[in-house]
Amino acid sequence: MAAHDIIIRPLLSEKSYAGIQNKKYSFVVAKNANKTQIKLAIEEIFGVSVEKVNTAIVGGKLKRQGRNEGYTPDYKKAIVQLKKDSKSIEFFDSLS
């Protein structure tokens, strides 16, 4: 799996904004990717040093439109903690 196939997009929420000062960044990742693959992909794409990776499967929400209802898709979330001496990810610098 290529690095750009593992990291789908950054996850931008209030909770993820709070972690930017501590070098914690949130991403939506491929469901079948493990922590080692996520770590190597982040290091390859952004050129940073990763200390640890936490992952969680987020269940889809129930949505309704009139009398029809269904669920949004599940996704896998990765919270990446960078090392203290690592540079920050430039994409997130303008958000904090």
Side-chain angles (χ1 to χ4, degrees):
M1 239 178 156
H4 290 283
D5 294 334
I6 294 172
I7 309 300
I8 297 172
R9 63 182 170 90
L11 188 62
L12 304 174
S13 65
E14 286 187 35
K15 193 170 186 179
S16 66
Y17 288 147
I20 292 175
Q21 289 88 17
N22 301 329
K23 293 190 176 181
K24 280 190 178 184
Y25 302 100
S26 300
F27 296 94
V28 175
V29 296
K31 275 182 126 177
N32 57 352
N34 60 32
K35 291 182 181 185
T36 306
Q37 291 172 330
I38 295 168
K39 177 181 177 179
L40 294 174
I42 293 290
E43 289 176 345
E44 180 183 330
I45 293 171
F46 298 108
V48 295
S49 299
V50 176
E51 184 176 340
K52 67 178 183 175
V53 176
N54 294 335
T55 59
I57 300 286
V58 180
K61 293 182 177 180
L62 178 67
K63 295 290 184 179
R64 292 189 44 182
Q65 190 157 26
R67 64 181 179 190
N68 301 319
E69 63 181 28
Y71 285 89
T72 59
D74 299 344
Y75 63 93
K76 188 171 192 176
K77 172 173 70 169
I79 300 152
V80 178
Q81 173 71 50
L82 301 184
K83 292 182 180 176
K84 298 287 183 202
D85 58 343
S86 175
K87 67 175 187 150
S88 61
I89 297 176
E90 295 164 6
F91 172 79
F92 291 96
D93 287 343
S94 63
L95 302 176
S96 60

Coordinates of all heavy atoms in Angstrom, one line a residue:
M1 N 0.8 -1.2 0.0 CA 0.0 0.0 0.0 C 0.9 1.3 0.0 O 1.8 1.4 0.8 CB -0.9 0.0 1.3 CG -2.3 0.0 1.0 SD -3.2 0.0 2.6 CE -4.7 0.7 2.1
A2 N 0.6 2.2 -0.9 CA 1.3 3.4 -0.9 C 0.9 4.4 0.2 O -0.2 4.2 0.8 CB 1.1 4.1 -2.3
A3 N 1.8 5.3 0.6 CA 1.6 6.2 1.7 C 0.4 7.0 1.5 O -0.4 7.3 2.4 CB 2.8 7.0 1.9
H4 N 0.1 7.5 0.2 CA -1.0 8.3 0.0 C -2.3 7.5 0.0 O -3.4 8.1 0.0 CB -0.8 9.1 -1.3 CG 0.2 10.1 -1.2 ND1 0.0 11.3 -0.6 CD2 1.5 10.2 -1.6 CE1 1.1 12.1 -0.7 NE2 2.0 11.4 -1.3
D5 N -2.3 6.2 -0.1 CA -3.4 5.4 0.0 C -3.8 5.1 1.4 O -5.0 4.9 1.7 CB -3.2 4.0 -0.7 CG -3.1 4.2 -2.2 OD1 -3.6 5.2 -2.8 OD2 -2.4 3.3 -2.8
I6 N -2.9 5.2 2.3 CA -3.1 5.0 3.7 C -3.7 6.2 4.4 O -4.7 6.1 5.1 CB -1.8 4.6 4.4 CG1 -1.3 3.2 3.9 CG2 -2.0 4.5 6.0 CD1 0.0 2.8 4.4
I7 N -3.1 7.4 4.2 CA -3.6 8.6 4.7 C -4.6 9.2 3.8 O -4.3 9.7 2.7 CB -2.5 9.6 5.0 CG1 -1.3 9.0 5.7 CG2 -3.0 10.9 5.7 CD1 -1.7 8.5 7.1
I8 N -5.9 9.2 4.2 CA -7.0 9.7 3.3 C -7.1 11.2 3.4 O -7.1 11.9 2.4 CB -8.3 9.0 3.7 CG1 -8.1 7.5 3.4 CG2 -9.4 9.5 2.8 CD1 -9.3 6.6 3.9
R9 N -7.3 11.7 4.6 CA -7.4 13.2 4.7 C -7.2 13.6 6.2 O -7.3 12.7 7.1 CB -8.8 13.7 4.3 CG -9.9 13.1 5.1 CD -11.3 13.6 4.6 NE -12.4 12.9 5.3 CZ -13.0 13.3 6.4 NH1 -12.6 14.4 7.0 NH2 -13.9 12.6 6.9
P10 N -6.9 14.8 6.5 CA -6.8 15.3 7.9 C -8.2 15.4 8.5 O -9.2 15.6 7.8 CB -6.1 16.6 7.8 CG -6.4 17.1 6.4 CD -6.5 15.9 5.6
L11 N -8.3 15.2 9.8 CA -9.5 15.2 10.5 C -9.5 16.6 11.2 O -8.7 16.8 12.1 CB -9.7 14.1 11.5 CG -11.0 13.9 12.2 CD1 -12.1 13.7 11.2 CD2 -11.0 12.8 13.1
L12 N -10.4 17.5 10.8 CA -10.5 18.8 11.4 C -11.7 19.0 12.2 O -12.8 19.0 11.7 CB -10.5 19.8 10.2 CG -9.3 19.7 9.3 CD1 -9.5 20.7 8.1 CD2 -8.0 19.9 10.0
S13 N -11.5 19.0 13.5 CA -12.6 19.2 14.5 C -12.0 20.0 15.7 O -10.8 20.3 15.8 CB -13.1 17.9 15.0 OG -12.1 17.2 15.7
E14 N -12.9 20.4 16.6 CA -12.5 21.2 17.7 C -11.5 20.4 18.6 O -10.5 21.0 19.1 CB -13.7 21.6 18.6 CG -14.5 22.7 18.0 CD -15.6 23.2 18.9 OE1 -15.3 23.2 20.1 OE2 -16.7 23.5 18.4
K15 N -11.7 19.2 18.7 CA -10.9 18.3 19.6 C -9.5 18.2 18.9 O -8.5 18.2 19.6 CB -11.5 17.0 19.8 CG -10.8 16.2 20.9 CD -11.6 14.9 21.2 CE -11.1 14.2 22.4 NZ -11.8 13.0 22.7
S16 N -9.5 18.0 17.6 CA -8.2 17.9 16.9 C -7.4 19.2 16.9 O -6.2 19.2 16.9 CB -8.4 17.4 15.5 OG -9.0 18.3 14.7
Y17 N -8.1 20.4 16.8 CA -7.4 21.7 16.9 C -6.7 21.8 18.3 O -5.7 22.4 18.3 CB -8.4 22.8 16.7 CG -8.9 23.0 15.3 CD1 -10.2 23.4 15.1 CD2 -8.2 22.7 14.2 CE1 -10.7 23.6 13.8 CE2 -8.7 22.9 12.9 CZ -9.9 23.3 12.8 OH -10.4 23.5 11.5
A18 N -7.3 21.3 19.3 CA -6.7 21.5 20.7 C -5.4 20.7 20.8 O -4.6 21.1 21.6 CB -7.7 21.0 21.7
G19 N -5.2 19.6 20.0 CA -4.0 18.9 20.1 C -2.9 19.4 19.3 O -1.7 18.9 19.4
I20 N -3.1 20.4 18.4 CA -2.0 20.9 17.6 C -0.9 21.5 18.3 O 0.3 21.3 18.0 CB -2.6 21.8 16.5 CG1 -3.6 21.1 15.6 CG2 -1.5 22.6 15.7 CD1 -4.3 22.0 14.6
Q21 N -1.1 22.2 19.4 CA -0.1 22.8 20.2 C 0.8 21.7 20.8 O 2.0 21.9 21.1 CB -0.6 23.6 21.4 CG -1.3 24.9 20.9 CD -2.7 24.8 20.6 OE1 -3.4 23.8 21.0 NE2 -3.3 25.7 19.9
N22 N 0.3 20.5 21.1 CA 1.1 19.4 21.7 C 1.7 18.5 20.6 O 2.1 17.4 21.0 CB 0.2 18.6 22.7 CG -0.3 19.5 23.8 OD1 0.4 20.4 24.2 ND2 -1.5 19.2 24.3
K23 N 1.6 18.9 19.4 CA 2.1 18.1 18.2 C 1.3 16.8 18.1 O 1.9 15.7 17.8 CB 3.6 17.8 18.3 CG 4.4 19.0 18.2 CD 5.9 18.7 18.0 CE 6.7 19.9 17.8 NZ 8.1 19.6 17.6
K24 N 0.0 16.8 18.3 CA -0.9 15.7 18.1 C -1.8 16.1 16.9 O -2.5 17.1 16.9 CB -1.8 15.4 19.3 CG -1.1 14.7 20.4 CD -2.1 14.2 21.4 CE -1.5 13.4 22.5 NZ -2.4 12.9 23.5
Y25 N -1.8 15.2 15.9 CA -2.5 15.5 14.7 C -3.5 14.3 14.4 O -3.1 13.2 14.6 CB -1.6 15.7 13.5 CG -0.6 16.8 13.7 CD1 0.7 16.6 14.2 CD2 -1.0 18.2 13.6 CE1 1.6 17.6 14.4 CE2 -0.1 19.2 13.8 CZ 1.2 18.9 14.2 OH 2.1 19.9 14.5
S26 N -4.6 14.6 13.9 CA -5.7 13.6 13.6 C -5.9 13.4 12.1 O -5.9 14.4 11.4 CB -7.0 14.0 14.2 OG -6.8 14.1 15.6
F27 N -6.0 12.2 11.7 CA -6.2 11.9 10.2 C -7.2 10.8 10.1 O -7.4 9.9 11.0 CB -4.9 11.3 9.6 CG -3.7 12.4 9.6 CD1 -2.8 12.4 10.6 CD2 -3.6 13.3 8.6 CE1 -1.8 13.3 10.6 CE2 -2.6 14.2 8.5 CZ -1.7 14.2 9.6
V28 N -7.9 10.8 9.0 CA -8.8 9.7 8.6 C -7.9 8.8 7.7 O -7.2 9.2 6.8 CB -10.0 10.1 7.8 CG1 -10.8 8.9 7.2 CG2 -10.9 11.0 8.6
V29 N -7.8 7.5 8.1 CA -6.9 6.6 7.4 C -7.6 5.4 6.9 O -8.8 5.2 7.2 CB -5.8 6.1 8.4 CG1 -4.9 7.2 8.8 CG2 -6.3 5.4 9.6
A30 N -7.0 4.6 6.0 CA -7.6 3.4 5.5 C -7.9 2.4 6.6 O -7.2 2.2 7.6 CB -6.6 2.7 4.5
K31 N -9.1 1.7 6.5 CA -9.5 0.8 7.5 C -8.6 -0.3 7.8 O -8.5 -0.8 8.9 CB -10.9 0.3 7.2 CG -12.0 1.3 7.7 CD -13.4 0.6 7.4 CE -14.2 0.6 8.6 NZ -15.5 0.1 8.4
N32 N -7.9 -0.8 6.7 CA -7.1 -2.0 6.9 C -5.6 -1.6 7.2 O -4.8 -2.5 7.3 CB -7.2 -2.8 5.6 CG -6.7 -2.1 4.4 OD1 -6.5 -0.9 4.4 ND2 -6.6 -2.8 3.3
A33 N -5.3 -0.4 7.4 CA -3.9 0.0 7.8 C -3.7 -0.2 9.3 O -4.5 0.1 10.1 CB -3.7 1.5 7.4
N34 N -2.5 -0.7 9.6 CA -2.1 -0.8 11.0 C -1.3 0.3 11.5 O -0.9 1.2 10.7 CB -1.4 -2.2 11.3 CG -0.2 -2.3 10.5 OD1 0.5 -1.4 10.2 ND2 0.1 -3.6 10.1
K35 N -0.9 0.4 12.7 CA -0.2 1.5 13.3 C 1.2 1.7 12.7 O 1.6 2.8 12.5 CB -0.1 1.3 14.8 CG -1.4 1.5 15.6 CD -1.2 1.4 17.1 CE -2.5 1.5 17.8 NZ -2.4 1.5 19.2
T36 N 1.9 0.6 12.4 CA 3.2 0.7 11.8 C 3.1 1.3 10.4 O 3.9 2.2 10.0 CB 3.8 -0.7 11.7 OG1 3.8 -1.2 13.0 CG2 5.3 -0.6 11.2
Q37 N 2.1 0.9 9.6 CA 2.0 1.5 8.3 C 1.6 2.9 8.3 O 2.1 3.7 7.5 CB 0.9 0.7 7.5 CG 1.3 -0.7 7.2 CD 0.1 -1.5 6.6 OE1 -1.1 -1.2 6.9 NE2 0.4 -2.5 5.7
I38 N 0.8 3.3 9.3 CA 0.4 4.7 9.4 C 1.6 5.6 9.8 O 1.8 6.6 9.3 CB -0.8 4.9 10.5 CG1 -2.0 4.2 10.0 CG2 -1.0 6.3 10.8 CD1 -3.1 4.0 11.0
K39 N 2.4 5.1 10.7 CA 3.6 5.8 11.2 C 4.5 6.0 10.0 O 5.0 7.1 9.8 CB 4.3 5.0 12.3 CG 5.6 5.6 12.7 CD 6.3 4.8 13.8 CE 7.6 5.4 14.2 NZ 8.2 4.7 15.3
L40 N 4.8 5.0 9.2 CA 5.7 5.1 8.1 C 5.1 6.0 7.0 O 5.9 6.8 6.4 CB 6.0 3.7 7.5 CG 6.8 2.8 8.4 CD1 6.9 1.4 7.8 CD2 8.2 3.3 8.7
A41 N 3.8 6.0 6.8 CA 3.2 6.9 5.8 C 3.3 8.4 6.2 O 3.6 9.2 5.4 CB 1.8 6.5 5.6
I42 N 3.1 8.7 7.5 CA 3.2 10.1 8.0 C 4.6 10.6 7.9 O 4.8 11.7 7.4 CB 2.7 10.2 9.4 CG1 1.2 9.9 9.5 CG2 3.0 11.5 10.0 CD1 0.3 10.9 8.9
E43 N 5.5 9.7 8.2 CA 7.0 10.1 8.1 C 7.4 10.4 6.7 O 8.1 11.3 6.4 CB 7.8 9.1 8.8 CG 7.7 9.1 10.3 CD 8.5 8.0 11.0 OE1 9.0 7.0 10.3 OE2 8.7 8.1 12.2
E44 N 6.9 9.5 5.8 CA 7.2 9.7 4.4 C 6.6 10.9 3.8 O 7.2 11.7 3.0 CB 6.8 8.4 3.6 CG 7.1 8.5 2.1 CD 6.6 7.3 1.4 OE1 6.5 6.2 2.0 OE2 6.3 7.4 0.2
I45 N 5.3 11.1 4.0 CA 4.6 12.3 3.4 C 5.0 13.6 3.9 O 5.3 14.5 3.2 CB 3.1 12.1 3.5 CG1 2.6 10.9 2.8 CG2 2.3 13.3 3.1 CD1 1.2 10.5 3.0
F46 N 5.1 13.7 5.2 CA 5.4 15.1 5.9 C 6.8 15.3 6.3 O 7.2 16.4 6.7 CB 4.4 15.3 7.0 CG 3.0 15.3 6.7 CD1 2.2 14.2 7.0 CD2 2.4 16.3 6.0 CE1 0.8 14.2 6.7 CE2 1.1 16.3 5.6 CZ 0.3 15.3 6.0
G47 N 7.7 14.2 6.3 CA 9.1 14.4 6.7 C 9.2 14.7 8.2 O 10.0 15.5 8.5
V48 N 8.5 14.1 9.0 CA 8.5 14.3 10.5 C 8.9 13.0 11.2 O 8.9 11.9 10.6 CB 7.2 14.9 11.0 CG1 6.9 16.2 10.5 CG2 6.0 13.9 10.7
S49 N 9.1 13.1 12.5 CA 9.4 11.9 13.3 C 8.2 11.6 14.2 O 7.8 12.5 15.0 CB 10.6 12.1 14.2 OG 11.8 12.4 13.4
V50 N 7.6 10.4 14.1 CA 6.4 10.1 14.8 C 6.8 9.3 16.1 O 7.6 8.3 16.0 CB 5.5 9.2 14.0 CG1 4.3 8.7 14.8 CG2 5.1 10.0 12.8
E51 N 6.3 9.7 17.2 CA 6.5 9.0 18.5 C 5.6 7.8 18.7 O 6.0 6.7 19.0 CB 6.4 10.0 19.7 CG 6.8 9.4 21.0 CD 6.7 10.4 22.1 OE1 6.8 11.6 21.9 OE2 6.6 10.0 23.3
K52 N 4.3 8.1 18.6 CA 3.3 7.0 18.7 C 2.0 7.3 17.9 O 1.8 8.5 17.5 CB 2.9 6.8 20.2 CG 2.2 7.9 20.8 CD 1.8 7.6 22.3 CE 1.0 8.7 22.9 NZ 0.5 8.3 24.2
V53 N 1.2 6.3 17.7 CA 0.0 6.4 16.9 C -1.1 5.7 17.7 O -0.9 4.5 18.1 CB 0.2 5.7 15.5 CG1 -1.1 5.7 14.7 CG2 1.3 6.3 14.7
N54 N -2.2 6.4 17.9 CA -3.4 5.8 18.4 C -4.5 5.7 17.4 O -4.6 6.6 16.6 CB -3.9 6.6 19.6 CG -3.0 6.6 20.8 OD1 -2.2 5.7 20.9 ND2 -3.0 7.6 21.6
T55 N -5.2 4.6 17.3 CA -6.2 4.4 16.3 C -7.6 4.1 16.9 O -7.6 3.6 18.0 CB -5.9 3.3 15.3 OG1 -5.7 2.1 16.0 CG2 -4.6 3.7 14.5
A56 N -8.7 4.4 16.2 CA -10.0 4.1 16.6 C -10.9 3.9 15.4 O -10.8 4.7 14.4 CB -10.6 5.2 17.5
I57 N -11.8 3.0 15.5 CA -12.8 2.8 14.4 C -14.0 3.7 14.9 O -14.6 3.4 16.0 CB -13.3 1.4 14.2 CG1 -12.1 0.5 13.8 CG2 -14.4 1.3 13.2 CD1 -11.6 0.7 12.4
V58 N -14.5 4.6 14.1 CA -15.6 5.5 14.4 C -16.8 5.0 13.6 O -16.8 4.9 12.4 CB -15.3 7.0 14.0 CG1 -16.4 7.9 14.4 CG2 -14.0 7.4 14.7
G59 N -17.8 4.7 14.4 CA -19.1 4.2 13.8 C -19.9 5.3 13.1 O -19.8 6.4 13.5
G60 N -20.6 4.9 12.1 CA -21.4 5.9 11.3 C -22.6 6.3 12.1 O -23.1 5.6 13.0
K61 N -23.1 7.5 11.8 CA -24.2 8.1 12.5 C -25.5 7.7 11.7 O -25.5 7.6 10.5 CB -24.1 9.6 12.5 CG -23.0 10.1 13.4 CD -23.1 11.6 13.4 CE -22.0 12.2 14.3 NZ -22.1 13.7 14.3
L62 N -26.6 7.6 12.4 CA -27.9 7.4 11.8 C -28.4 8.8 11.2 O -28.4 9.8 11.9 CB -28.9 6.9 12.8 CG -30.3 6.7 12.4 CD1 -30.4 5.6 11.3 CD2 -31.3 6.4 13.5
K63 N -28.7 8.8 10.0 CA -29.2 10.0 9.3 C -30.6 9.6 8.7 O -30.8 8.5 8.2 CB -28.3 10.4 8.1 CG -26.9 10.8 8.6 CD -27.0 12.1 9.3 CE -25.6 12.6 9.7 NZ -25.6 13.9 10.4
R64 N -31.4 10.6 8.7 CA -32.8 10.5 8.1 C -33.1 11.6 7.1 O -32.6 12.7 7.3 CB -33.8 10.6 9.2 CG -33.8 9.4 10.2 CD -35.0 9.5 11.1 NE -36.2 9.8 10.4 CZ -37.4 10.0 10.9 NH1 -37.5 9.9 12.2 NH2 -38.4 10.2 10.2
Q65 N -33.8 11.2 6.1 CA -34.3 12.2 5.2 C -35.8 11.8 4.9 O -36.1 10.8 4.2 CB -33.5 12.2 3.9 CG -33.8 13.3 3.0 CD -32.7 13.7 2.1 OE1 -31.9 12.8 1.8 NE2 -32.6 14.9 1.6
G66 N -36.7 12.5 5.5 CA -38.1 12.1 5.4 C -38.3 10.8 6.2 O -37.9 10.7 7.3
R67 N -38.9 9.8 5.6 CA -39.2 8.6 6.3 C -38.1 7.5 6.0 O -38.1 6.4 6.5 CB -40.5 8.0 5.9 CG -40.7 7.6 4.4 CD -42.0 7.1 4.2 NE -42.2 6.8 2.7 CZ -43.3 6.5 2.2 NH1 -44.4 6.5 2.8 NH2 -43.3 6.2 0.9
N68 N -37.1 7.9 5.1 CA -36.0 7.0 4.8 C -34.8 7.3 5.8 O -34.6 8.4 6.2 CB -35.4 7.3 3.4 CG -36.5 7.1 2.4 OD1 -37.3 6.1 2.5 ND2 -36.6 8.0 1.4
E69 N -34.2 6.2 6.2 CA -33.1 6.4 7.1 C -32.0 5.4 6.8 O -32.2 4.4 6.2 CB -33.5 6.2 8.6 CG -34.0 4.8 9.0 CD -34.4 4.7 10.4 OE1 -34.8 5.7 11.0 OE2 -34.4 3.6 10.9
G70 N -30.8 5.8 7.2 CA -29.6 5.0 6.9 C -28.4 5.5 7.7 O -28.5 6.4 8.5
Y71 N -27.3 4.8 7.6 CA -26.1 5.1 8.4 C -25.0 5.7 7.4 O -24.9 5.2 6.3 CB -25.6 3.9 9.1 CG -26.4 3.5 10.3 CD1 -27.5 2.7 10.2 CD2 -26.1 4.1 11.6 CE1 -28.2 2.3 11.3 CE2 -26.9 3.8 12.7 CZ -27.9 2.9 12.5 OH -28.7 2.6 13.7
T72 N -24.3 6.7 7.9 CA -23.1 7.2 7.2 C -22.0 6.1 7.4 O -22.1 5.3 8.3 CB -22.6 8.5 7.8 OG1 -22.3 8.4 9.2 CG2 -23.7 9.6 7.6
P73 N -21.0 6.1 6.5 CA -20.0 5.0 6.6 C -19.1 5.1 7.8 O -18.9 6.2 8.4 CB -19.2 5.3 5.3 CG -19.9 6.2 4.5 CD -20.9 6.9 5.3
D74 N -18.7 3.9 8.3 CA -17.7 3.9 9.4 C -16.3 4.3 8.8 O -16.1 4.2 7.6 CB -17.5 2.5 9.9 CG -18.8 1.9 10.5 OD1 -19.7 2.7 10.8 OD2 -18.8 0.7 10.7
Y75 N -15.4 4.8 9.7 CA -14.1 5.2 9.2 C -13.1 5.0 10.3 O -13.5 4.8 11.5 CB -14.0 6.6 8.7 CG -14.3 7.7 9.7 CD1 -13.3 8.3 10.4 CD2 -15.6 8.1 9.9 CE1 -13.6 9.3 11.4 CE2 -15.9 9.1 10.9 CZ -14.9 9.7 11.6 OH -15.1 10.7 12.5
K76 N -11.8 4.9 10.0 CA -10.8 4.7 11.0 C -10.0 6.0 11.2 O -9.7 6.7 10.2 CB -9.8 3.6 10.5 CG -8.8 3.2 11.5 CD -8.0 2.0 11.1 CE -7.2 1.4 12.2 NZ -6.5 0.2 11.7
K77 N -9.9 6.4 12.5 CA -9.2 7.6 12.8 C -7.9 7.3 13.5 O -7.8 6.4 14.3 CB -10.1 8.4 13.8 CG -9.5 9.6 14.5 CD -10.5 10.4 15.3 CE -10.9 9.7 16.6 NZ -11.7 10.5 17.5
A78 N -6.8 8.1 13.1 CA -5.5 7.9 13.7 C -5.1 9.2 14.3 O -5.2 10.3 13.7 CB -4.5 7.5 12.6
I79 N -4.7 9.2 15.6 CA -4.1 10.4 16.3 C -2.6 10.1 16.4 O -2.2 9.2 17.0 CB -4.8 10.6 17.6 CG1 -6.3 10.8 17.4 CG2 -4.2 11.7 18.4 CD1 -7.1 10.3 18.6
V80 N -1.8 11.0 15.7 CA -0.4 10.8 15.6 C 0.3 11.8 16.5 O 0.0 13.0 16.5 CB 0.0 11.1 14.2 CG1 1.5 11.0 14.0 CG2 -0.7 10.1 13.2
Q81 N 1.2 11.3 17.4 CA 1.9 12.1 18.3 C 3.4 12.2 17.8 O 4.0 11.2 17.6 CB 2.0 11.5 19.7 CG 2.9 12.2 20.7 CD 2.4 13.6 21.1 OE1 1.3 13.7 21.5 NE2 3.3 14.6 21.1
L82 N 3.8 13.5 17.5 CA 5.2 13.6 17.0 C 6.2 13.7 18.2 O 5.8 14.1 19.3 CB 5.3 14.9 16.2 CG 4.4 15.0 14.9 CD1 4.7 16.3 14.2 CD2 4.5 13.8 14.0
K83 N 7.4 13.4 17.9 CA 8.5 13.6 18.9 C 8.7 15.0 19.2 O 8.4 15.9 18.4 CB 9.8 12.9 18.4 CG 9.7 11.4 18.2 CD 11.0 10.8 17.8 CE 10.8 9.3 17.7 NZ 12.0 8.7 17.1
K84 N 9.3 15.3 20.4 CA 9.5 16.7 20.8 C 10.4 17.5 19.9 O 10.2 18.6 19.6 CB 10.0 16.7 22.3 CG 9.1 16.1 23.3 CD 7.9 17.0 23.6 CE 7.1 16.3 24.7 NZ 5.7 16.8 24.6
D85 N 11.5 16.8 19.4 CA 12.5 17.5 18.6 C 12.1 17.5 17.1 O 12.8 18.0 16.3 CB 13.8 16.8 18.7 CG 13.8 15.3 18.4 OD1 12.7 14.8 18.4 OD2 14.9 14.8 18.2
S86 N 10.9 16.9 16.7 CA 10.5 16.9 15.3 C 9.9 18.2 15.0 O 9.3 19.0 15.8 CB 9.4 15.8 15.2 OG 8.9 15.8 13.9
K87 N 10.0 18.6 13.7 CA 9.3 19.8 13.2 C 7.8 19.5 13.1 O 7.3 18.4 13.1 CB 9.8 20.2 11.8 CG 9.5 19.2 10.7 CD 10.0 19.7 9.4 CE 9.4 18.8 8.3 NZ 9.2 19.5 7.0
S88 N 7.0 20.6 13.1 CA 5.6 20.4 13.0 C 5.1 20.2 11.6 O 5.9 20.5 10.7 CB 4.9 21.6 13.6 OG 5.2 22.8 12.9
I89 N 3.9 19.8 11.4 CA 3.3 19.6 10.1 C 2.8 20.9 9.6 O 2.0 21.6 10.2 CB 2.2 18.5 10.1 CG1 2.8 17.2 10.5 CG2 1.6 18.4 8.7 CD1 1.8 16.0 10.6
E90 N 3.3 21.4 8.4 CA 3.1 22.7 7.9 C 1.6 23.0 7.6 O 1.1 24.1 7.8 CB 3.9 23.0 6.7 CG 5.4 23.0 7.0 CD 6.2 22.9 5.7 OE1 5.7 22.9 4.6 OE2 7.5 22.7 5.9
F91 N 0.9 22.0 7.2 CA -0.5 22.1 6.9 C -1.3 22.6 8.1 O -2.2 23.5 8.0 CB -1.1 20.8 6.4 CG -2.6 20.8 6.2 CD1 -3.1 21.4 5.1 CD2 -3.5 20.3 7.1 CE1 -4.5 21.5 4.9 CE2 -4.8 20.4 7.0 CZ -5.4 20.9 5.8
F92 N -1.0 22.1 9.3 CA -1.8 22.5 10.5 C -1.3 23.8 11.1 O -2.0 24.3 12.0 CB -1.6 21.3 11.5 CG -2.4 20.1 11.1 CD1 -1.7 19.0 10.5 CD2 -3.7 19.9 11.3 CE1 -2.3 17.9 10.1 CE2 -4.4 18.8 10.9 CZ -3.7 17.8 10.3
D93 N -0.1 24.3 10.7 CA 0.4 25.5 11.4 C -0.5 26.7 11.2 O -0.7 27.5 12.1 CB 1.8 25.9 10.8 CG 2.8 24.9 11.3 OD1 2.6 24.2 12.3 OD2 3.9 24.9 10.6
S94 N -1.2 26.8 10.1 CA -2.1 28.0 9.9 C -3.4 27.8 10.6 O -4.1 28.8 10.8 CB -2.4 28.2 8.4 OG -3.0 27.0 7.9
L95 N -3.7 26.6 11.1 CA -5.0 26.4 11.8 C -5.0 26.7 13.3 O -6.0 27.0 13.9 CB -5.4 25.0 11.6 CG -5.6 24.5 10.2 CD1 -5.9 23.0 10.1 CD2 -6.7 25.3 9.5
S96 N -3.8 26.7 13.9 CA -3.7 26.9 15.3 C -3.5 28.4 15.7 O -3.4 29.2 14.9 CB -2.6 26.1 15.9 OG -1.3 26.5 15.3

